[in-house]
Amino acid sequence: MNFIHIAPDLKWAKIFILPLAEKQSNEGNKVYLSAPSNASNDENNTPVETLNLIGKLKNPKSHFFGICRLIHTIKTKSISRVYFHTSIDSFLPMIFIRLFTNSEVVYVNHGVPYDGYNNLLRIAFKIIELSNIVCSHRVISITKSMTSLLQKVNFFHKSIDTLEPGTI
């Protein structure tokens, strides 16, 4: 199978996502990692191929063209599963992938952004989390406390798996 992990930052991805991606690769899968400002594959010394497809949401034009590149890559490389590792930056790409591809979408929640905000920002972040849950085929949270926060916006009672510490 072919997988791609969408990450918010390459340094962060090397710590939290690369071990999982390398394990998937060692099991015989072709695995890609997309993060803004990727280094070349030669510097990574890993079987996981790095791509620079989607930038941050703060640059809307670049973000939109990145979504188009991501969809094109999913189709040309026959990617069967897409892992999203952010909340806010995954919002639009996840919707477009569900609309324009047949890939399975896995939302790996590493943090709940609405916690700690008030008023309109809190409402906007809750809507984004709800959309991410609805648009994904599978939801994974990295702690029980994040799972309980996600359950508050999980109006469709979708199953949310929780990883025990150290299981990634």
Side-chain angles (χ1 to χ4, degrees):
M1 295 180 86
N2 296 338
F3 303 149
I4 188 167
H5 291 265
I6 310 298
D9 176 76
L10 185 61
K11 287 182 182 180
W12 183 87
K14 284 182 178 180
I15 297 167
F16 295 106
I17 299 169
L18 200 55
L20 172 63
E22 286 177 338
K23 183 173 171 63
Q24 289 172 329
S25 180
N26 292 338
E27 291 175 348
N29 300 299
K30 180 64 180 166
V31 183
Y32 303 91
L33 172 64
S34 175
S37 304
N38 280 347
S40 71
N41 239 19
D42 300 334
E43 296 174 20
N44 291 336
N45 195 20
T46 177
V48 176
E49 185 177 334
T50 57
L51 306 169
N52 188 359
L53 298 174
I54 298 181
K56 291 286 196 176
L57 188 57
K58 62 185 171 187
N59 184 344
K61 184 177 175 183
S62 172
H63 193 69
F64 175 75
F65 286 117
I67 293 170
C68 295
R69 282 191 305 272
L70 175 62
I71 290 170
H72 177 69
T73 300
I74 289 170
K75 289 183 176 197
T76 58
K77 296 187 183 290
S78 301
I79 293 174
S80 55
R81 190 175 298 151
V82 181
Y83 291 86
F84 284 98
H85 295 272
T86 63
S87 296
I88 298 166
D89 290 328
S90 298
F91 172 64
L92 291 175
M94 200 179 291
I95 291 170
F96 281 94
I97 286 174
R98 284 302 302 262
L99 290 174
F100 298 111
T101 74
N102 293 323
S103 297
E104 179 183 355
V105 174
V106 179
Y107 174 44
V108 184
N109 180 278
H110 294 266
V112 181
Y114 76 81
D115 191 38
Y117 287 94
N118 291 321
N119 303 325
L120 290 177
L121 268 179
R122 185 177 184 90
I123 293 167
F125 289 155
K126 280 186 172 186
I127 290 169
I128 288 170
E129 286 292 358
L130 173 64
S131 174
N132 290 350
I133 291 169
V134 169
C135 288
S136 61
H137 292 94
R138 185 171 182 200
V139 181
I140 302 171
S141 175
I142 63 167
T143 66
K144 289 189 185 296
S145 62
M146 284 185 222
T147 301
S148 64
L149 287 171
L150 287 175
Q151 290 293 5
K152 292 178 182 178
V153 295
N154 186 8
F155 299 123
F156 299 102
H157 306 289
K158 192 174 233 179
S159 175
I160 299 176
D161 299 314
T162 305
L163 296 177
E164 296 299 320
T167 55
I168 273 195

